[in-house]
């Protein structure tokens, strides 16, 4: 016979916070309680369960072997418990209320959010949006930790425990200085792109991997002839480098609306290289109705030309 297990959801919240921060003071601050309160509740939980969850001799504090076995199940318990409140809220207040935590990749956020937020205010003004700009791996970590409800990023990711909802395709363009050899072309074949003077995003951006694959840089034996090597976390920085220094970079459609006076956009020949942008969230999410509303808002706010793009004209690039 299995013995009865007693714990509170608050205790599980404290455990998840300590697991995340690895430090009692930081975890307590995140939970808006004092450090002794958090420490005492975690210790009481360990005593009631008859196990040690954390190895306090480590800095930062780490999970014990038993803690590693329990942590994912504790996260699941919290996730499922939150469904109760969501169901009650939807029945009493309707689906268009509550809050939604969103992670958006940096190559989408600056160009989509200014369009998206006014539409969200129009469609669901009573929903509180908490938005973070996160790289792809950070979005998955936040989804797994239940820190965000949904991610807006390049898809498909093909991660089994996640649900993906594709929204739109975004073609790529070459951005180069007006004196560049590519600027003389009406359209360009991506097989002809080289690495000599390309500006890249830094490691961690899925768009960087797509550009590298597109330019066949990983297969290239030649090195860069440029004296300066620079990798950025911002497409806007790359755009400024092209405009004021030279070289070229690749931009997704929404990032092409404003370019410098010394720069020029060159479209690709068909099949046009593109990326797929979609929503990613945990399967059977308790805020699925709000997530669907977010998807509707994204589709409403993007330019008409993106809605008209036919997938058969595109070469959708993988993100890995």
């Amino acid at each position: 016979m299995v013995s009865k297990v007693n714990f509170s959801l608050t205790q599980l919240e404290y455990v998840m916070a300590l697991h995340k921060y690895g430090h009692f003071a930081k975890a307590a601050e995140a939970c808006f309680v004092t450090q002794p309160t958090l420490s005492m509740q975690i210790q009481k939980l360990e005593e009631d369960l008859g196990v040690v969850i954390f190895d306090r001799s480590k800095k930062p504090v780490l999970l014990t072997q038993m803690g590693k076995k329990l942590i994912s199940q504790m996260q699941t318990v919290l996730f499922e418990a939150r469904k109760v409140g969501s169901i009650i809220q939807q029945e009493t207040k309707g689906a268009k209320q509550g809050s939604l935590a969103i992670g958006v990749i940096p190559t989408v956020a600056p160009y989509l959010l200014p369009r998206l937020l006014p539409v969200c205010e129009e469609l669901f003004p009573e929903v509180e949006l908490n938005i973070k700009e996160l790289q792809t791996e950070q979005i998955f970590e936040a989804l797994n930790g239940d820190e965000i409800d949904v991610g807006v990023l390049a898809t498909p990711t093909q991660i089994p425990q996640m649900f993906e909802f594709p929204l739109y395709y975004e073609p790529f363009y070459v951005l180069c200085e007006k004196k560049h050899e590519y600027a003389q072309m009406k359209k360009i074949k991506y097989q002809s792109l080289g690495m000599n003077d390309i500006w890249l995003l830094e490691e961690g951006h899925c768009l960087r991997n797509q550009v590298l694959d597109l330019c066949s840089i990983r297969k290239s034996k030649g090195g860069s002839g440029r004296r300066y090597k620079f990798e950025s976390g911002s497409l806007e920085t790359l755009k400024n480098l092209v405009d004021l220094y030279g070289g070229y970079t690749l931009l997704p459609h929404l990032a092409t609306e404003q370019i410098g006076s010394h720069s020029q956009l060159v479209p690709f020949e068909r099949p046009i290289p593109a990326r797929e942008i979609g929503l990613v969230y945990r399967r059977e999410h308790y805020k699925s109705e709000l997530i669907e509303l977010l998807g509707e808002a994204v589709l409403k706010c993007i330019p008409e030309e993106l809605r008209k793009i036919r997938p058969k004209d595109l070469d959708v690039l993988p993100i890995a």
Side-chain angles (χ1 to χ4, degrees), residues 121-139:
E121 289 180 0
E122 175 190 342
L123 294 181
F124 37 90
E126 296 186 48
V127 175
E128 177 186 332
L129 299 180
N130 301 306
I131 304 171
K132 296 180 180 179
E133 187 174 282
L134 302 169
Q135 291 186 5
T136 299
E137 286 302 317
Q138 294 173 320
I139 285 179

Side-chain angles (χ1 to χ4, degrees), residues 148-166:
I148 61 173
D149 302 309
V150 59
V152 182
L153 65 159
T155 53
T157 64
Q158 298 178 334
I159 295 181
Q161 64 268 33
M162 298 294 173
F163 180 81
E164 298 182 8
F165 184 75

Side-chain angles (χ1 to χ4, degrees), residues 79 146 148-149 281-288 291:
F79 184 82
D146 207 21
I148 61 173
D149 302 309
Y281 54 96
R282 292 178 61 173
R283 293 185 181 278
E284 299 182 5
H285 200 285
Y286 60 94
K287 293 185 180 180
S288 57
I291 292 172

Side-chain angles (χ1 to χ4, degrees), residues 173-180 182-184 199 235-251 255-267:
Y173 297 80
V174 169
L175 178 76
C176 58
E177 59 177 332
K178 290 182 176 179
K179 296 180 181 179
H180 197 281
Y182 297 158
Q184 316 311 313
W199 297 108
L235 284 177
E236 292 304 304
T237 302
L238 300 187
K239 289 163 68 174
N240 288 333
L241 279 169
V242 168
D243 193 57
L244 299 176
Y245 182 79
Y248 83 99
T249 193
L250 268 64
L251 296 178
T256 63
E257 293 187 340
Q258 294 182 345
I259 62 172
S261 58
H262 303 292
S263 301
Q264 182 170 324
L265 289 169
V266 184

Side-chain angles (χ1 to χ4, degrees), residues 95-280:
K96 294 187 178 182
Q97 293 197 26
S99 64
L100 195 65
I102 308 167
V104 189
I105 58 174
T107 57
V108 168
Y111 314 108
L112 182 65
L113 291 180
R115 295 172 170 274
L116 178 63
L117 296 183
V119 176
C120 291
E121 289 180 0
E122 175 190 342
L123 294 181
F124 37 90
E126 296 186 48
V127 175
E128 177 186 332
L129 299 180
N130 301 306
I131 304 171
K132 296 180 180 179
E133 187 174 282
L134 302 169
Q135 291 186 5
T136 299
E137 286 302 317
Q138 294 173 320
I139 285 179
F140 288 125
E141 290 175 6
L143 286 170
N144 286 324
D146 207 21
E147 297 170 27
I148 61 173
D149 302 309
V150 59
V152 182
L153 65 159
T155 53
T157 64
Q158 298 178 334
I159 295 181
Q161 64 268 33
M162 298 294 173
F163 180 81
E164 298 182 8
F165 184 75
L167 293 172
Y168 62 90
Y169 297 103
E170 193 172 17
F172 287 109
Y173 297 80
V174 169
L175 178 76
C176 58
E177 59 177 332
K178 290 182 176 179
K179 296 180 181 179
H180 197 281
E181 60 177 306
Y182 297 158
Q184 316 311 313
M185 303 178 183
K186 290 184 178 180
K187 291 187 177 181
I188 190 168
K189 294 182 179 180
Y190 62 78
Q191 293 91 339
S192 65
L193 294 176
M195 67 171 289
N196 239 14
D197 56 349
I198 188 171
W199 297 108
L200 294 169
L201 290 170
E202 64 190 4
E203 291 281 356
H205 292 271
C206 56
L207 181 55
R208 171 193 170 92
N209 295 334
Q210 291 174 315
V211 171
L212 288 173
D213 285 337
L214 189 60
C215 300
S216 300
I217 290 174
R218 288 172 178 156
K219 301 176 184 177
S220 175
K221 296 180 181 179
S224 172
R226 182 189 289 147
R227 287 177 57 206
Y228 308 112
K229 295 181 181 179
F230 175 74
E231 295 180 355
S232 174
S234 164
L235 284 177
E236 292 304 304
T237 302
L238 300 187
K239 289 163 68 174
N240 288 333
L241 279 169
V242 168
D243 193 57
L244 299 176
Y245 182 79
Y248 83 99
T249 193
L250 268 64
L251 296 178
H253 183 92
L254 290 182
T256 63
E257 293 187 340
Q258 294 182 345
I259 62 172
S261 58
H262 303 292
S263 301
Q264 182 170 324
L265 289 169
V266 184
F268 283 96
E269 291 185 1
R270 294 180 182 176
I272 301 166
R275 65 177 180 175
E276 180 184 271
I277 300 298
L279 302 180
V280 177

